[in-house]
Amino acid sequence: MSVPHRVAVLALDGVVALDLGTPAQVLGAARADDNIPLYAVATCTPGRLPVRSSAGFQVLPDHGLELLERADTVIVPGIHSGTPLHDGTLAVEVTDALRAAYDRGARVMSICTGAFVLAAASLLDGRPATTHWAYASRFRRLHPGVPLDPDVLFVDDGRVLTSAGVAAGIDLCLHVVRTDHGSAVANRAARRCVVPPWRDGGQAQYIERPVPRGAGNGTAATREWARQRLHEPVALREMAAHARMSVRTFTRHFRSETGLSPAQWLLQQRTEHARVLLETTDLSVDRIARDAGFGTTAALRQHFHTRVGVSPTAYRRTFRPSPAPRSTPRSTLVDLGVVAPGRPGMPELSTATTA
């Protein structure tokens, strides 16, 4: 039986309560086909001392910083107070523990303002990163050497990953599950957590109207209608007609609800569908190109490589190298905004997508 991937959640004073619970909830919901947990999540604090949360209670950890010495992944939740937010500094022992974990090969992640902690430990120098949009100006002032993108849900730059605020931590954790174990496991974990299975990391953080005002005024029904027709050409005018709106009004409503244009959203859905087919079926790449609505293999290859970073064939080889059961992998690859980049063991990429 494979040993579960060991995850250490580092809670600092002022820890954001939702961020603190997200890794245990989402990663803990990731199970193998035999229901065996794929991740073992534990929480630690400096000196194993209690820390205050943002929700008015204290966190009593079971571990100190020594937990980071044996973790495969280290996650730093957001904080609402402390020197990383105020002046960009971090206690020496915390800096040393984080850098030692990274140097020995651990994956390091942050949720929300946890990016301030990674930056203070010099783990984000020169790396693309994100944090909560409301803290972007402060982050840039304290860490001008970090190329910050506050307009995305998460950034995956190899072994260092950062997410935007609050619920974006859920997206990041599901992204990690999907990267490590594939879409089927990630989708089951999302279902256990009663959350959407994925949102593209390049999706805008701040959407003007994320929930339609009324059932008759939104585009949700049309989006579902289009999802059922990915194998067919779906024109903007057809979508607008289905929603009983003009093209201009439909486009405005669509972008306010999803953060994407209809064309961008359709391409996202087609790419996701092709990725799932590559992972879960033996269909030819040519057939997948048709079933996902790309029309030709060349079009599929072009768009798939642009968004995912590898060719469809390479992606399939990595996800389905043999019929033998897969062991628990450790993620090293990635992408800057696609929820399903390559798999562990593939060369690191540095590609970005925009919403």
Side-chain angles (χ1 to χ4, degrees), residues 37-159:
L38 295 170
Y39 299 88
V41 184
T43 300
C44 67
T45 63
R48 197 181 171 184
L49 297 174
V51 297
R52 294 169 298 171
S53 79
S54 64
F57 60 81
Q58 288 192 324
V59 179
L60 302 176
D62 290 333
H63 306 277
L65 291 175
E66 69 278 356
L67 187 67
L68 275 61
E69 298 173 3
R70 54 185 184 274
D72 301 306
T73 292
V74 176
I75 302 178
V76 182
I79 52 175
H80 274 182
S81 62
T83 58
L85 277 181
H86 295 152
D87 58 20
T89 62
L90 186 63
V92 173
E93 64 270 25
V94 178
T95 297
D96 290 346
L98 285 170
R99 293 197 61 83
Y102 176 79
D103 289 343
R104 66 171 175 76
R107 176 170 55 192
V108 180
M109 301 165 48
S110 67
I111 299 174
C112 192
T113 50
F116 283 79
V117 177
L118 297 191
S122 300
L123 289 174
L124 296 182
D125 291 351
R127 289 183 177 272
T130 193
T131 189
H132 194 294
W133 61 267
Y135 288 83
S137 295
R138 182 186 304 189
F139 188 95
R140 288 191 175 110
R141 175 172 54 82
L142 292 175
H143 305 288
V146 179
L148 185 74
D149 185 352
D151 296 325
V152 297
L153 292 178
F154 61 81
V155 172
D156 186 336
D157 189 47
R159 285 195 296 113

Side-chain angles (χ1 to χ4, degrees), residues 162-251:
T162 54
S163 84
V166 199
I170 298 173
D171 297 296
L172 179 59
C173 287
L174 285 173
H175 162 72
V176 165
V177 175
R178 193 179 305 274
T179 301
D180 289 352
H181 300 286
S183 62
V185 174
N187 290 347
R188 289 199 301 267
R191 186 177 182 185
R192 279 177 174 266
C193 296
V194 199
V195 296
W198 73 290
R199 290 192 296 170
D200 191 325
Q203 181 171 321
Q205 283 192 35
Y206 182 77
I207 298 173
E208 178 185 356
R209 183 161 52 86
V211 179
R213 290 183 182 134
N217 296 327
T219 65
T222 298
R223 294 199 301 273
E224 183 57 32
W225 174 85
R227 283 193 192 96
Q228 302 304 318
R229 290 163 176 78
L230 292 178
H231 60 287
E232 304 173 1
V234 179
L236 174 59
R237 289 187 178 278
E238 291 179 291
M239 296 176 71
H242 183 272
R244 298 183 180 182
M245 300 178 189
S246 68
V247 169
R248 182 176 179 179
T249 299
F250 175 78
T251 301

